[in-house]
Amino acid sequence: MESAVIAQVAHRLGLSDWVVAKGVMDHADPRKDDRYKRFAPRSSADAMKIADRLVTARLRTPHNYRWPPRRVFISRARPDAAFAQALETYLSGAGITAPVGEKELRPDRMVPTIEDAVLSADLFVVLWSRSYALSRFCYDEIESALRRHAVGEIQLWIINLDGSDIVPPEARALPQALARTPHALVALVRELLELAEPARTVPGGE
């Protein structure tokens, strides 16, 4: 029954990949056995760890652009500034230029400046949240990145900060990871950068 509901929700959200993991704590008859209750939570925790690893592996896909990235564009909503600051600090310490969306805005060249920043990036990191979904500036940023990603010009990572639904249709089918704290965000990005596959030869690249 639960699986059928999840399947319907996934279909309505346009999710191409989803999985249901279920566990049994005891028999639904007079022969109940409490031994399963000690095993069930441990198994559930192991299943979640495996799921997290699978998501991380999907983000580390092969690419035809420069890797490791020299310039990472961090797209975030204003209320999520602490996450972006933590990530920017880490990337800068690793020798990677990391412009943050709103910092690229100038009154005289608002959208073109964002376009320039996205065009010069090797990696676009979306810090998705409910606040992100409500920001028109964030929408402009992710739309630009999705266009480049669709033709293989940029790597795009979606990192969900609060578990909220991804809104842009083109982004829903992309893999996403969850990081609920700035520390978890930095740890996730560090792992992705360190374990990413080597870059392929790019015509005209370095």
Side-chain angles (χ1 to χ4, degrees), residues 73 75-79 101-102 105-107 109-112 114-115 118 124 128-145 147 167-168:
F73 187 97
S75 181
R76 55 85 169 168
R78 185 174 297 177
E102 278 192 4
L105 295 177
R106 295 206 316 264
R109 287 184 70 227
M110 188 175 301
V111 174
I114 288 294
E115 291 282 356
V118 174
F124 188 95
W128 184 270
S129 68
R130 293 178 181 84
S131 298
Y132 193 103
L134 296 174
S135 170
R136 63 186 181 92
F137 296 112
C138 291
Y139 186 86
D140 289 341
E141 293 171 11
I142 194 173
E143 281 293 297
S144 297
R147 286 195 295 269
V167 176

CSV table of all heavy atoms in Angstrom, one decimal, residues 73 75-79 101-102 105-107 109-112 114-115 118 124 128-145 147 167-168:
chain,number,residue,atom,x,y,z
A,73,PHE,N,30.4,28.2,-9.3
A,73,PHE,CA,29.3,29.2,-9.1
A,73,PHE,C,28.4,28.6,-8.0
A,73,PHE,O,27.8,27.6,-8.2
A,73,PHE,CB,28.6,29.5,-10.3
A,73,PHE,CG,27.6,30.6,-10.2
A,73,PHE,CD1,27.9,31.9,-10.6
A,73,PHE,CD2,26.3,30.4,-9.7
A,73,PHE,CE1,27.0,33.0,-10.5
A,73,PHE,CE2,25.4,31.5,-9.5
A,73,PHE,CZ,25.8,32.7,-9.9
A,75,SER,N,25.0,29.0,-6.2
A,75,SER,CA,23.7,29.7,-6.4
A,75,SER,C,22.8,29.4,-5.1
A,75,SER,O,22.5,28.3,-4.8
A,75,SER,CB,22.9,29.1,-7.6
A,75,SER,OG,21.7,29.7,-7.8
A,76,ARG,N,22.5,30.5,-4.4
A,76,ARG,CA,21.8,30.3,-3.1
A,76,ARG,C,20.8,31.5,-2.9
A,76,ARG,O,20.9,32.5,-3.5
A,76,ARG,CB,22.7,30.3,-2.0
A,76,ARG,CG,23.7,31.5,-1.9
A,76,ARG,CD,23.1,32.6,-1.1
A,76,ARG,NE,24.1,33.7,-0.9
A,76,ARG,CZ,23.9,34.9,-0.4
A,76,ARG,NH1,22.6,35.3,-0.3
A,76,ARG,NH2,24.8,35.8,-0.2
A,77,ALA,N,19.8,31.2,-2.0
A,77,ALA,CA,18.9,32.3,-1.6
A,77,ALA,C,19.5,33.0,-0.4
A,77,ALA,O,20.3,32.5,0.3
A,77,ALA,CB,17.5,31.7,-1.2
A,78,ARG,N,19.1,34.3,-0.2
A,78,ARG,CA,19.7,35.1,0.8
A,78,ARG,C,19.5,34.5,2.2
A,78,ARG,O,20.5,34.5,3.0
A,78,ARG,CB,19.0,36.5,0.8
A,78,ARG,CG,19.6,37.4,1.8
A,78,ARG,CD,19.0,38.8,1.6
A,78,ARG,NE,19.4,39.4,0.3
A,78,ARG,CZ,18.9,40.6,-0.1
A,78,ARG,NH1,18.1,41.3,0.7
A,78,ARG,NH2,19.2,41.0,-1.3
A,79,PRO,N,18.4,33.8,2.6
A,79,PRO,CA,18.3,33.2,3.9
A,79,PRO,C,19.3,32.1,4.1
A,79,PRO,O,19.5,31.7,5.3
A,79,PRO,CB,16.9,32.7,4.0
A,79,PRO,CG,16.1,33.6,3.0
A,79,PRO,CD,17.1,33.8,1.9
A,101,GLY,N,26.0,33.8,-6.1
A,101,GLY,CA,25.0,34.5,-6.9
A,101,GLY,C,24.8,35.9,-6.7
A,101,GLY,O,25.1,36.8,-7.5
A,102,GLU,N,24.3,36.3,-5.5
A,102,GLU,CA,23.9,37.7,-5.3
A,102,GLU,C,25.1,38.6,-5.3
A,102,GLU,O,25.0,39.8,-5.6
A,102,GLU,CB,23.2,37.8,-3.9
A,102,GLU,CG,21.7,37.5,-4.0
A,102,GLU,CD,21.0,37.9,-2.8
A,102,GLU,OE1,21.6,38.5,-1.9
A,102,GLU,OE2,19.8,37.6,-2.7
A,105,LEU,N,25.7,40.4,-8.6
A,105,LEU,CA,24.7,41.4,-9.1
A,105,LEU,C,25.3,42.8,-9.0
A,105,LEU,O,25.8,43.2,-8.0
A,105,LEU,CB,23.4,41.3,-8.3
A,105,LEU,CG,22.7,39.9,-8.5
A,105,LEU,CD1,21.4,39.9,-7.6
A,105,LEU,CD2,22.3,39.7,-9.9
A,106,ARG,N,25.0,43.6,-10.0
A,106,ARG,CA,25.3,45.0,-10.0
A,106,ARG,C,24.1,45.7,-10.5
A,106,ARG,O,23.4,45.2,-11.4
A,106,ARG,CB,26.5,45.4,-10.9
A,106,ARG,CG,27.8,44.8,-10.4
A,106,ARG,CD,29.0,45.6,-10.9
A,106,ARG,NE,28.9,46.0,-12.3
A,106,ARG,CZ,29.4,45.4,-13.3
A,106,ARG,NH1,30.1,44.3,-13.1
A,106,ARG,NH2,29.3,45.8,-14.5
A,107,PRO,N,23.7,46.9,-10.0
A,107,PRO,CA,22.5,47.6,-10.4
A,107,PRO,C,22.5,47.9,-11.9
A,107,PRO,O,21.4,47.9,-12.5
A,107,PRO,CB,22.6,48.9,-9.6
A,107,PRO,CG,23.4,48.5,-8.4
A,107,PRO,CD,24.4,47.6,-8.9
A,109,ARG,N,24.1,46.1,-14.4
A,109,ARG,CA,24.1,44.9,-15.3
A,109,ARG,C,23.7,43.7,-14.5
A,109,ARG,O,24.4,42.7,-14.4
A,109,ARG,CB,25.5,44.7,-15.8
A,109,ARG,CG,26.0,45.7,-16.8
A,109,ARG,CD,27.4,45.3,-17.4
A,109,ARG,NE,27.3,44.1,-18.2
A,109,ARG,CZ,28.2,43.1,-18.1
A,109,ARG,NH1,29.1,43.1,-17.1
A,109,ARG,NH2,28.1,42.1,-18.9
A,110,MET,N,22.4,43.7,-14.1
A,110,MET,CA,22.0,42.6,-13.2
A,110,MET,C,22.1,41.2,-13.9
A,110,MET,O,22.9,40.4,-13.5
A,110,MET,CB,20.6,42.8,-12.7
A,110,MET,CG,20.1,41.9,-11.6
A,110,MET,SD,18.5,42.4,-11.0
A,110,MET,CE,18.8,44.0,-10.4
A,111,VAL,N,21.2,41.0,-14.8
A,111,VAL,CA,21.1,39.6,-15.4
A,111,VAL,C,22.4,39.3,-16.3
A,111,VAL,O,22.9,38.2,-16.2
A,111,VAL,CB,19.9,39.5,-16.3
A,111,VAL,CG1,19.9,38.1,-17.0
A,111,VAL,CG2,18.6,39.5,-15.4
A,112,PRO,N,22.9,40.2,-17.1
A,112,PRO,CA,24.1,39.9,-17.9
A,112,PRO,C,25.3,39.5,-17.0
A,112,PRO,O,26.1,38.7,-17.4
A,112,PRO,CB,24.4,41.2,-18.6
A,112,PRO,CG,23.0,41.9,-18.8
A,112,PRO,CD,22.3,41.5,-17.5
A,114,ILE,N,25.2,38.0,-14.1
A,114,ILE,CA,24.9,36.6,-13.7
A,114,ILE,C,25.2,35.7,-14.9
A,114,ILE,O,25.9,34.6,-14.7
A,114,ILE,CB,23.5,36.4,-13.2
A,114,ILE,CG1,23.3,37.1,-11.9
A,114,ILE,CG2,23.1,34.9,-13.1
A,114,ILE,CD1,24.0,36.4,-10.8
A,115,GLU,N,24.8,36.0,-16.0
A,115,GLU,CA,25.1,35.2,-17.2
A,115,GLU,C,26.6,35.0,-17.4
A,115,GLU,O,27.1,33.9,-17.7
A,115,GLU,CB,24.5,35.8,-18.5
A,115,GLU,CG,23.0,35.8,-18.5
A,115,GLU,CD,22.4,34.4,-18.9
A,115,GLU,OE1,23.3,33.5,-19.2
A,115,GLU,OE2,21.2,34.2,-18.9
A,118,VAL,N,28.0,32.6,-14.8
A,118,VAL,CA,27.6,31.2,-15.1
A,118,VAL,C,28.4,30.7,-16.2
A,118,VAL,O,28.9,29.5,-16.2
A,118,VAL,CB,26.1,31.1,-15.3
A,118,VAL,CG1,25.8,29.6,-15.8
A,118,VAL,CG2,25.3,31.4,-14.1
A,124,PHE,N,28.4,24.3,-11.3
A,124,PHE,CA,27.3,25.2,-10.8
A,124,PHE,C,26.7,24.4,-9.6
A,124,PHE,O,26.2,23.3,-9.8
A,124,PHE,CB,26.3,25.4,-11.9
A,124,PHE,CG,25.3,26.4,-11.5
A,124,PHE,CD1,25.4,27.8,-11.8
A,124,PHE,CD2,24.1,26.0,-10.8
A,124,PHE,CE1,24.4,28.7,-11.5
A,124,PHE,CE2,23.1,26.9,-10.5
A,124,PHE,CZ,23.2,28.3,-10.8
A,128,TRP,N,19.6,24.3,-2.9
A,128,TRP,CA,18.1,24.4,-3.0
A,128,TRP,C,17.5,24.4,-1.6
A,128,TRP,O,17.9,23.8,-0.7
A,128,TRP,CB,17.6,23.2,-3.8
A,128,TRP,CG,16.1,23.3,-3.9
A,128,TRP,CD1,15.2,22.8,-3.1
A,128,TRP,CD2,15.4,23.9,-5.0
A,128,TRP,NE1,13.9,23.1,-3.6
A,128,TRP,CE2,14.1,23.8,-4.8
A,128,TRP,CE3,15.9,24.6,-6.2
A,128,TRP,CZ2,13.1,24.4,-5.6
A,128,TRP,CZ3,14.9,25.1,-7.0
A,128,TRP,CH2,13.6,25.0,-6.7
A,129,SER,N,16.4,25.2,-1.5
A,129,SER,CA,15.7,25.3,-0.3
A,129,SER,C,14.3,25.9,-0.6
A,129,SER,O,14.1,26.3,-1.8
A,129,SER,CB,16.4,26.2,0.7
A,129,SER,OG,16.4,27.5,0.3
A,130,ARG,N,13.4,26.0,0.4
A,130,ARG,CA,12.2,26.7,0.1
A,130,ARG,C,12.4,28.1,-0.2
A,130,ARG,O,11.6,28.7,-1.1
A,130,ARG,CB,11.3,26.6,1.4
A,130,ARG,CG,10.8,25.2,1.7
A,130,ARG,CD,10.0,25.1,3.0
A,130,ARG,NE,9.6,23.7,3.3
A,130,ARG,CZ,10.4,22.8,3.9
A,130,ARG,NH1,11.6,23.2,4.3
A,130,ARG,NH2,9.9,21.6,4.1
A,131,SER,N,13.3,28.8,0.4
A,131,SER,CA,13.6,30.2,0.0
A,131,SER,C,14.2,30.3,-1.4
A,131,SER,O,13.8,31.2,-2.1
A,131,SER,CB,14.7,30.7,1.0
A,131,SER,OG,14.2,30.7,2.4
A,132,TYR,N,14.9,29.3,-1.8
A,132,TYR,CA,15.5,29.3,-3.2
A,132,TYR,C,14.3,29.3,-4.2
A,132,TYR,O,14.3,30.0,-5.2
A,132,TYR,CB,16.4,28.1,-3.4
A,132,TYR,CG,17.2,28.2,-4.7
A,132,TYR,CD1,18.6,28.5,-4.6
A,132,TYR,CD2,16.7,27.9,-5.9
A,132,TYR,CE1,19.3,28.5,-5.7
A,132,TYR,CE2,17.4,27.9,-7.0
A,132,TYR,CZ,18.8,28.2,-7.0
A,132,TYR,OH,19.5,28.3,-8.1
A,133,ALA,N,13.3,28.4,-3.9
A,133,ALA,CA,12.2,28.3,-4.8
A,133,ALA,C,11.4,29.6,-4.9
A,133,ALA,O,10.7,29.8,-6.0
A,133,ALA,CB,11.3,27.2,-4.3
A,134,LEU,N,11.5,30.5,-4.0
A,134,LEU,CA,10.7,31.7,-4.0
A,134,LEU,C,11.5,32.9,-4.6
A,134,LEU,O,10.9,34.0,-4.7
A,134,LEU,CB,10.2,32.1,-2.6
A,134,LEU,CG,9.3,31.1,-1.9
A,134,LEU,CD1,9.0,31.5,-0.5
A,134,LEU,CD2,8.0,31.0,-2.7
A,135,SER,N,12.7,32.7,-4.9
A,135,SER,CA,13.6,33.8,-5.4
A,135,SER,C,13.6,33.8,-6.9
A,135,SER,O,14.0,32.9,-7.6
A,135,SER,CB,15.0,33.6,-4.9
A,135,SER,OG,15.9,34.5,-5.5
A,136,ARG,N,13.2,35.0,-7.5
A,136,ARG,CA,13.3,35.1,-9.0
A,136,ARG,C,14.7,35.2,-9.5
A,136,ARG,O,15.0,34.8,-10.6
A,136,ARG,CB,12.5,36.3,-9.5
A,136,ARG,CG,13.0,37.7,-9.0
A,136,ARG,CD,12.1,38.8,-9.4
A,136,ARG,NE,12.5,40.1,-9.0
A,136,ARG,CZ,13.3,40.9,-9.7
A,136,ARG,NH1,13.6,40.5,-10.9
A,136,ARG,NH2,13.6,42.1,-9.3
A,137,PHE,N,15.6,35.7,-8.6
A,137,PHE,CA,17.0,35.8,-9.0
A,137,PHE,C,17.6,34.4,-9.1
A,137,PHE,O,18.4,34.0,-10.0
A,137,PHE,CB,17.8,36.6,-8.0
A,137,PHE,CG,17.4,38.1,-8.0
A,137,PHE,CD1,16.8,38.6,-6.9
A,137,PHE,CD2,17.6,38.9,-9.1
A,137,PHE,CE1,16.4,39.9,-6.9
A,137,PHE,CE2,17.2,40.2,-9.1
A,137,PHE,CZ,16.6,40.7,-8.0
A,138,CYS,N,17.3,33.5,-8.1
A,138,CYS,CA,17.8,32.1,-8.1
A,138,CYS,C,17.2,31.4,-9.3
A,138,CYS,O,17.9,30.6,-10.0
A,138,CYS,CB,17.3,31.4,-6.8
A,138,CYS,SG,18.2,32.0,-5.4
A,139,TYR,N,16.0,31.7,-9.7
A,139,TYR,CA,15.4,31.1,-10.9
A,139,TYR,C,16.1,31.4,-12.1
A,139,TYR,O,16.4,30.5,-13.0
A,139,TYR,CB,13.9,31.5,-11.0
A,139,TYR,CG,13.2,30.8,-12.1
A,139,TYR,CD1,12.5,29.6,-11.8
A,139,TYR,CD2,13.1,31.3,-13.4
A,139,TYR,CE1,11.9,28.9,-12.9
A,139,TYR,CE2,12.4,30.6,-14.4
A,139,TYR,CZ,11.8,29.4,-14.1
A,139,TYR,OH,11.1,28.8,-15.1
A,140,ASP,N,16.5,32.7,-12.3
A,140,ASP,CA,17.3,33.1,-13.4
A,140,ASP,C,18.7,32.3,-13.5
A,140,ASP,O,19.1,31.9,-14.5
A,140,ASP,CB,17.6,34.6,-13.4
A,140,ASP,CG,16.3,35.4,-13.7
A,140,ASP,OD1,15.4,34.9,-14.2
A,140,ASP,OD2,16.3,36.6,-13.3
A,141,GLU,N,19.3,32.2,-12.3
A,141,GLU,CA,20.6,31.5,-12.2
A,141,GLU,C,20.5,30.1,-12.6
A,141,GLU,O,21.3,29.6,-13.5
A,141,GLU,CB,21.1,31.6,-10.8
A,141,GLU,CG,21.5,33.0,-10.4
A,141,GLU,CD,21.9,33.2,-9.0
A,141,GLU,OE1,22.0,32.1,-8.3
A,141,GLU,OE2,22.0,34.3,-8.5
A,142,ILE,N,19.5,29.3,-12.1
A,142,ILE,CA,19.4,27.9,-12.4
A,142,ILE,C,19.0,27.7,-13.8
A,142,ILE,O,19.4,26.7,-14.4
A,142,ILE,CB,18.5,27.2,-11.4
A,142,ILE,CG1,18.7,25.7,-11.5
A,142,ILE,CG2,17.0,27.6,-11.6
A,142,ILE,CD1,17.9,24.9,-10.4
A,143,GLU,N,18.2,28.6,-14.4
A,143,GLU,CA,17.8,28.4,-15.7
A,143,GLU,C,19.0,28.5,-16.7
A,143,GLU,O,19.1,27.8,-17.6
A,143,GLU,CB,16.7,29.5,-16.1
A,143,GLU,CG,15.3,29.2,-15.6
A,143,GLU,CD,14.7,28.0,-16.4
A,143,GLU,OE1,14.6,28.0,-17.6
A,143,GLU,OE2,14.5,27.0,-15.7
A,144,SER,N,19.9,29.5,-16.4
A,144,SER,CA,21.1,29.6,-17.2
A,144,SER,C,21.9,28.4,-17.1
A,144,SER,O,22.5,27.9,-18.1
A,144,SER,CB,21.9,30.9,-16.7
A,144,SER,OG,21.1,32.1,-16.9
A,145,ALA,N,22.1,27.9,-15.9
A,145,ALA,CA,22.9,26.7,-15.7
A,145,ALA,C,22.3,25.5,-16.3
A,145,ALA,O,23.0,24.6,-16.9
A,145,ALA,CB,23.1,26.4,-14.2
A,147,ARG,N,20.5,25.3,-19.0
A,147,ARG,CA,20.8,25.4,-20.5
A,147,ARG,C,22.2,24.9,-20.8
A,147,ARG,O,22.4,24.2,-21.8
A,147,ARG,CB,20.5,26.8,-20.9
A,147,ARG,CG,19.1,27.2,-21.0
A,147,ARG,CD,18.9,28.5,-21.8
A,147,ARG,NE,19.6,29.7,-21.2
A,147,ARG,CZ,19.0,30.5,-20.4
A,147,ARG,NH1,17.7,30.3,-20.0
A,147,ARG,NH2,19.7,31.5,-19.9
A,167,VAL,N,11.5,22.5,-8.0
A,167,VAL,CA,10.4,23.1,-8.8
A,167,VAL,C,10.7,23.0,-10.3
A,167,VAL,O,9.8,22.5,-11.0
A,167,VAL,CB,10.1,24.5,-8.3
A,167,VAL,CG1,9.1,25.1,-9.2
A,167,VAL,CG2,9.7,24.5,-6.9
A,168,PRO,N,11.8,23.5,-10.8
A,168,PRO,CA,12.0,23.5,-12.3
A,168,PRO,C,11.9,22.1,-12.8
A,168,PRO,O,12.6,21.2,-12.4
A,168,PRO,CB,13.4,24.1,-12.4
A,168,PRO,CG,13.7,24.9,-11.2
A,168,PRO,CD,13.0,24.1,-10.1
